[in-house]
Structure formats: structure tokens, C-alpha cells
Amino acid sequence: MIINGKILFFSNNVEKILSQLEGKILNLTQALPLRDDISTDEITPIPSLAFYDEKLGKYPYTGLTISNELPIKENTIIDSEIKIIVAGKRYGKGSSREHSPFAEKCAGIKLIIAESFERIYRQNADNLGLITSTDFSLIERLQKGESILLSDIIKDRDELTQKIIISGGLINFCKKVIQKNKSFNKNNIETIEKPKSYAQKIIEKHIETYNSIKDFSLDRDYFFVKPDWRFIHEYYTGMCLHLLSSAYDKDLILYDSNSIISFEDHLSYMHKSQVHIQNQLINNLKELSRVHRYFTKKFDVISHGYLEGGEGSEGISHALMTEKYALPGQLITGTDSHTPHSGAVGALAFGVGTTDIANSFASGLIRMVMPKVILVKLNGELESGVTAKDIVLALLALNEIKNGAGIGCVFEFTGQVISILSTDERATLCNMTAELGGFTGIIIPDNETITFLKERRNIDFEIQPWMQSDENAEYFYTINLDCSTISPMVALPGDPGNGIAINKLIYRNKIDIAYGGSCTAGKQEDFDYYYQVLSWAVENNLKVSPHTELFLQFGTSEVKKYCERKGYIEIFKKVGANLLEPACGACANCGPGSSISSEQATISAINRNFPGRSGPGKVWLASPPTVAASAIAGKIITFNELKNQINNYL
């Protein structure tokens, strides 16, 4: 295969992008500065996810925001005959949606060159045969008209990845090589006897290899693992079935269907999603649900679907995984970047794209590299009003994280603060390792884990001696964070890394929408926080601000039942909150709580605020108590500040 063609530089200057689309040729120097942090929400915005086949070729980059403009329109890339994209750091941030590289490939893109890539995006691209590179010396060669061999571009990639790309993608590779051999032999594995982290131990226990690779060693960076659980949700099932049907036709049999779980958690409020209504996409979304249910029934996998009545679902996939399935020491993979949620109970859980999960459904295997591990020591006493969300926003604001130091790494959270955090709060940290760029987040199981499993799931779990990191385990590096220095935070619109202490905000933005919910902030303890603020408001004869709408959306049905038992619902209604059944909802721009105009400002407890993520308006990220307090005040404010203001007034 030979790579050549027309280049589009994603400059941070919108005029430079428009000029290239009109035919002007720029070199790298002229195109600078390049746009960093291009997210999958911008490559394939939520409305485009209504499609799962070649129709996606119309939509790549239609959400790309440069200076508040959207320079790429539907069919722009196909019509311009662009073949090569050049961008800056952390290309492909955000979702595990394989729709993004698939849309790029369907639009005719052959090669993406970027300073760095997010792990899931790049693995998805490899799996589809879309070529990626961090070698900027290729640009000058291509602009001179040189045709470059594929083997030259991928020569720095590991051996397994090269084989997968040359085979035309992961499914073809596994079908031809692994399933043809039909032989997995752990005796080929030469484990290295040295101190290891807890995450490395879990991976090692789940490794499988095959006879065509000899002299396998954990020092090599290519292998497959056999997960304990694999799960998928309805945004991915159609593409998954499309890929599997193309590869296997009528011969498809799922490997160990009893360990596959399907979730309908995104689209139950599609009939109230303005973006889908306005774009006349409801019928396309219904087709996604139809295919999802067909797949679930045909292959008889475990299923969690909609509630009776048509609004809401049993719960968000990774939240339900932690509530019902994940256990310490297990390895779990799912089609969502926030799969690391289950790291809160000591499972190694990570997100993958559609090709990875499709291949695992057929083979039982997931491709991996041995990730580096970052040790995060959270020490110090938490200030009143500081939550796990504030801690992770503080981590995201660190320069090394912004520059991509966490990409593809395991974040092992430890320290004095972890010892006092509940499992729900730990889940917030692990969940948002997706935003940190990490492979996953994990917390070594302890007495809190045992208590959670007993009280929430009625499981008597005994922690095994191996379930810990060895004393002299090697870490990529260590982050020491003095949490006593953290005060309630927000992340300014555009990126979760835009964190700032609220007390340092010069201007307190007026808020149109306050949203509390999603996997990150729809757990039981999150609703304890909402209740703490809103019950105080009721006691002081306060309600939600007249110019603000407050939406509270349960993460799972069990969370709603918990709130009913605790008597929270009456208070929520009395203060003027809109209560929503469990679903991903506004976090994925799929229901009430999403903005409907660019002038609206939202304060939200969700995990990411990339442009277009939760509607066209600006989204500020914050903790559950800050969201609730801001809804009462109608502007960004902490709960402590709100109480002080009211007390001073009285």
C-alpha cells in the first residue's frame, strides 16, 4: 500500500483552514499553530452517531470548533478530496466511539499525522486500517509528491500492530491467524519475576497467547487478554453487527455469550432530544435500537434495557457494571471510554472501540499492550465542600496531564484521601481517568470495598493476598497531590482540563441550565450531595432560580430507589428540580438538560465539556454540590458561598 494525496492542516486559525479548503496549499510552518485536543465529539458529533455504516463518510469534523466557528460542513472532506490530516497534541480525545476513525476512512482519509494520539482513538484506527503517525518528517516528503510505502510509515509500531494493519484490520487478522490456529497456550508465556503493580498482576492473570508467536514474554508489548466481562451499548451494536456479519456471514458464533452484557442506556429520551428532533434523526435512532435488540435476542446475551413506559433505562452501562457485576481482580472491557468506573472496586476495566469488542465477541480476546502505571498519591485533609470531582478537576489542570503524560497509562489512586473516600466517590476518580487520557484507573481493594460489596450487592468477598501492589513495584512516575490545597473547582467551557478554583473566578457566569446526573454524578452519594444542598434551600425558603432549570437524572434504577427510601424525591420536587429516569441523557446530548442554543450556559456534573458535547451552549464542569448550589443562585457558586451569602443577608 502506498500513501499520498492532498493534506489538510488543522490550524488553530479558522481562516487558514478555510483557505486550504478553497485550494490554497500551506506548509507546516505556515499552518502553525496546530489545533490541539481535537475530540471525538468534534470529529463525529452526537447527531452523526445515528449512522453506523459508510454513510458516516459525510460527517467527519462537522463538530470541529475553531474560534467559535465550524469550518467543516457535511460532505466537505469527500468533496475536497483531502487524504491526509495533520493536527497537534492529543488527537482523538474523549469517547471510545469508533465512528470517528470509521467516518474519516469512509470520507477517503488515508493518514492522520499528529503530535500525539489518545490511546483508544489510535487503537480504533489501527483496527480499521486507518493509518496514523507521529512522524512529522513525512509531511515534507508528501508535499514534494513522494509516494510513501505503508511499511515505512508503520515501522516504529510494535510487531502485532504492524501485522494487524497489514492484514487490513483486527477482525481479519484474528480470523486468519488466531482462530485458524485454534490453540491458546499459556505455557508460552514467560513471566518476569519482579515486583509488580496490582494492575500488572491482573493483566498477567488474564493473558492468552497463540502458537504462532514464540518466545512470548511480558517484556514484549503485544498480547491478548481474555476478559471476565465484555459489554456494549446501543450506539455501537449496529456497527458491531455490521463488522461481524461482513467478516463471518452466517458462521458467526459468539464466544462465551454468558459473559457478554448489552445495555440500552443512551437513547431512551431521544423523543425529547432537540438536536435529534431538529435533524430528523429519530427514525435512525430507532433503527439503532432495533438492531441492538435483534443482536441481544439472536445471541441470547445478558440484557439491560428500557424501563416500562418508554422513558429511562435500567441504568448506565458502567454504573450497572459496578453495581451488579465487577469484582476485585477481574478484567472488564466495554464500548465506552468511562468503563474504568469499575476500578473503584478493584477491577481492571477499560474502554475499547467497536472493532475490538466485535472481535472479542467472536474470539473471546482483547488486544492489549502492557500499560505504564502512574502512582497518584492523594494526601492531606479535604476542605469542607471538596469532592472527588474537585480532585479530578485539579489533576486534569496539571501541566503534565494537559501535555499528555497520562496517555495510555493506568492511574493507581492511593493515599490518605483514598482511605476515607466511599466507593461512589472512588468511582468518580476512576471514571474520569478517561479525561486524564489514561488506559484506566484503579484502587486496590480494602475494607471499604468489602463493605460496598456486602451492603450494595450482598456479596461476602474476601480479598486475596495477591490483590495489592508489591512494595517495590516500578511506576512510570508518581503524582503527589496535597488535597488540602484544593477548593471547589470548575472547568471552563471547552475542555475538562480547563480547571480553576471557583474562588479565583473573576466573573461568576449566569447559569441557564444546571445538570446533575450521568455515570460520573448519578450515583447514590452524588444524590446525597444534591439533597444536602437542596434540603438546606427548602429550609431557607429558597427554590431554583427563576432563570435556571435544574435537571437531576438518576444513574441507575437502584439509585432512584435509594432516593425514594431516603425521602429525597419530595425535597427535589419542592425546590423545583426536573427529575429524569436513568439514562446517559444530556451528557451525550441525548435528552433534557442539553442546551438548545449557543447563548445558553450550563453548569454540569458530567465528565467532559468538549464543544457540542451537551448541546451548542457553553458547559462548565463542577461537582454535584456546586451544581445544586448554582441552580439555586442562578450563577456559579459553591455551597459554602451560597450559605454565607444567605446568612449575611438574613
Side-chain angles (χ1 to χ4, degrees), residues 583-649:
C584 291
C587 180
N589 202 8
C590 288
S594 302
S595 61
I596 58 175
S597 77
S598 58
E599 289 75 31
Q600 288 181 303
T602 298
I603 189 163
S604 180
I606 63 176
N607 36 42
R608 54 180 58 139
N609 59 343
F610 300 128
R613 173 72 186 183
S614 192
K618 300 291 191 293
V619 178
W620 301 70
L621 297 184
S623 69
T626 296
V627 166
S630 300
I632 300 299
K635 64 180 181 179
I636 296 174
I637 197 169
T638 71
F639 184 30
N640 284 337
E641 288 174 336
L642 178 64
K643 287 189 290 187
N644 289 336
Q645 282 189 13
I646 298 301
N647 290 336
N648 290 336
Y649 175 78

Side-chain angles (χ1 to χ4, degrees), residues 218-254:
L218 288 183
D219 276 353
R220 304 290 290 276
D221 58 359
Y222 51 85
F223 54 86
F224 289 87
V225 291
K226 186 179 288 184
D228 296 287
W229 297 105
R230 296 156 287 160
F231 71 84
I232 194 167
H233 63 68
E234 75 267 41
Y235 259 135
Y236 294 85
T237 314
M239 184 182 288
C240 175
L241 187 59
H242 179 68
L243 293 169
L244 288 172
S245 298
S246 299
Y248 291 92
D249 196 22
K250 297 179 181 179
D251 298 328
L252 177 61
I253 298 174
L254 299 192

Side-chain angles (χ1 to χ4, degrees), residues 91-143:
Y91 188 91
K93 287 180 72 171
S95 169
S96 61
R97 66 185 73 160
E98 197 160 325
H99 301 69
S100 294
F102 190 63
E104 291 168 311
K105 186 176 180 182
C106 290
I109 300 297
K110 296 180 180 179
L111 172 65
I112 313 283
I113 302 173
E115 291 181 60
S116 62
F117 292 92
E118 293 291 287
R119 177 194 67 85
I120 299 179
Y121 172 86
R122 197 174 199 193
Q123 186 157 315
N124 287 343
D126 295 340
N127 292 342
L128 288 169
L130 177 65
I131 314 306
T132 62
S133 177
T134 56
D135 182 1
F136 271 56
S137 69
L138 295 171
I139 297 170
E140 185 176 355
R141 294 170 62 188
L142 288 163
Q143 289 199 307

Side-chain angles (χ1 to χ4, degrees), residues 155 163 194 228 268 271 274 283 303 305 312 357 374 420 552:
K155 63 185 179 182
K163 288 180 178 180
K194 62 180 182 181
D228 296 287
S268 67
H271 59 294
Q274 291 302 310
N283 287 336
S303 175
I357 208 71
I374 295 173
I420 63 169
L552 298 178

